[in-house]
Amino acid sequence: MVLQVRGVVLPEREERSFWIDGDRLRAGTAPDADRVVDGGWLLPGLVDAHTHPGTEDTETPFSDATLRRHLTEHRDAGVLLVRTPGSAARIPDWVDEDPELPRVRSAGRWLATPGRFFPGFGREVSEADVVRAAVEEATASSGWCKVIGDWKHDEPALPLEILTALVEAVHSIGGRVAVHCQTTEGCHNAVLAGVDSLEHGMHLDPDLIDRMADQGTALVPTLGVFGAAADRARAAEPSARRDWLLTGWDGMPPNVRAAHEAGVTILAGTDSFPCGTVTSEIEWLVRAGLPAEAALGAASWSARSYLGLPGLVDGAPADLVAYDTDPTRDAAALAHPSRIILRGRVVR
């Protein structure tokens, strides 16, 4: 049975018709097709650009069953592409072969130098070995690697010269580098090293934003998880770490807004559980000052483009989400897709 869809495509706001050829979209109409979407609004599948399916805490081992459950939660919310910037284990090959699961762009295992991550979680390597390890993880994954660039607020970040050498080595094989950073020094080193994505970016010096835009460094602020952490910190006893967290949080929304205005690519990522909640991160981006369309793009067409996939055009992957009303004007619609199509198959 050939499937047919018609609707107003975002972000172009043009009415288009497509028929589905296997797992690809074809422009136009096909005779005797089953029209599964006839009107409404069509989006490229939603994207969570910072999620860690497969394990929910540092005490629980990574498992295939948990990975499948998490990816299914994403899919059922219309999240049809995920990027996993670091994991306790490499994402297994069967994920890409399963037509029921979202497409995955993985970064292999977290890379952490001693003292800069949860003990025993991810892959711990020495500063002398981290460049080689980054190339290994990028080669074994979807071309990405993820490095913990800093950790505790009162301890030094991964040195700039090491991070610079790491970025150069990964870029030389066509890979990309994501870096966890939440301290001033960590953000500074990541931007100056020319990383591809800044994960979190708390305590980012706003003077670095123009450089991020010029060199193409994306910002994945994960506002929801840091906003929740700030709420917990306000209820905690006074401490240096509490002050550091609250000060950093106060600067995050203004920095996200300034980064968007400067032309930095903003990506929506949740970094939290349950999976399938990227629509809440869209709301956080709007609260930070992004226009509704830009915030939605950060979790759809802009994110897909950044990760190497097209929007809804002839020949594109047949991954789309349909809504009865314009989700840029009716935010509540995002939680209620009328149709979800993944790899050319109707999921909902």
Side-chain angles (χ1 to χ4, degrees):
M1 175 68 70
V2 176
L3 304 182
Q4 184 84 48
V5 300
R6 180 185 67 84
V8 177
V9 170
L10 288 174
E12 295 83 0
R13 297 186 176 274
E14 297 176 354
E15 184 173 286
R16 296 178 185 170
S17 292
F18 298 97
W19 60 279
I20 296 176
D21 178 17
D23 69 347
R24 296 284 140 177
L25 293 176
R26 301 300 174 193
T29 59
D32 302 320
D34 182 11
R35 193 175 291 273
V36 292
V37 180
D38 192 9
W41 299 78
L42 306 180
L43 271 68
L46 297 180
V47 181
D48 191 330
H50 189 124
T51 179
H52 304 292
T55 185
E56 294 182 348
D57 58 63
T58 59
E59 306 301 320
T60 305
F62 183 97
S63 77
D64 284 4
T66 303
L67 175 62
R68 181 178 293 279
R69 174 169 58 84
H70 286 162
L71 291 175
T72 300
E73 289 170 355
H74 278 305
R75 180 204 67 192
D76 290 349
V79 177
L80 307 183
L81 171 65
V82 302
R83 184 185 65 145
T84 63
S87 181
R90 290 175 182 159
I91 302 298
D93 291 341
W94 60 259
V95 170
D96 285 336
E97 299 166 1
D98 192 328
E100 300 293 330
L101 297 178
R103 302 176 196 271
V104 175
R105 297 292 182 267
S106 68
R109 292 171 287 179
W110 285 288
L111 291 172
T113 48
R116 292 195 177 100
F117 203 41
F118 302 109
F121 210 53
R123 179 181 176 184
E124 185 172 297
V125 294
S126 68
E127 290 187 355
D129 288 337
V130 69
V131 174
R132 175 184 57 79
V135 171
E136 289 176 355
E137 294 300 325
T139 301
S141 69
S142 302
W144 282 87
C145 68
K146 167 72 174 293
V147 183
I148 307 300
D150 57 28
W151 195 236
K152 297 180 180 179
H153 72 282
D154 55 354
E155 295 184 357
L158 188 65
L160 174 59
E161 60 271 20
I162 294 177
L163 194 52
T164 300
L166 185 154
V167 171
E168 291 174 351
V170 174
H171 283 180
S172 73
I173 63 163
R176 302 171 92 178
V177 180
V179 174
H180 165 104
C181 49
Q182 58 189 19
T183 69
T184 300
E185 182 188 16
C187 292
H188 174 271
N189 290 355
V191 175
L192 266 59
V195 305
D196 297 282
S197 69
L198 215 64
E199 309 299 315
H200 315 306
M202 189 169 70
H203 288 283
L204 170 66
D205 182 346
D207 288 343
L208 294 171
I209 288 174
D210 285 342
R211 179 163 180 157
M212 291 175 64
D214 290 343
Q215 66 191 25
T217 298
L219 176 61
V220 195
T222 63
L223 291 174
V225 72
F226 275 81
D231 286 343
R232 293 191 298 271
R234 292 187 189 96
E237 293 294 322
S239 67
R241 185 181 184 282
R242 176 182 180 274
D243 292 345
W244 165 81
L245 180 56
L246 292 177
T247 301
W249 167 249
D250 286 345
M252 289 186 78
N255 271 350
V256 170
R257 180 171 62 252
H260 166 71
E261 292 172 350
V264 172
T265 296
I266 307 296
L267 303 177
T270 56
D271 192 28
S272 62
F273 300 99
C275 293
T277 58
V278 78
T279 55
S280 66
E281 187 66 16
I282 296 170
E283 294 173 6
W284 276 102
L285 293 173
V286 171
R287 284 183 232 167
L290 265 65
E293 188 161 311
L296 181 53
S300 181
W301 55 86
S302 298
R304 294 179 78 86
S305 176
Y306 183 80
L307 294 173
L309 289 175
L312 298 183
V313 296
D314 186 75
D319 301 338
L320 64 89
V321 188
Y323 300 92
D324 292 333
T325 58
D326 181 354
T328 66
R329 296 189 170 96
D330 177 15
L334 287 170
H336 305 286
S338 58
R339 186 73 74 190
I340 299 171
I341 297 175
L342 169 64
R343 303 176 191 253
R345 299 157 60 98
V346 175
V347 173
R348 173 177 167 184

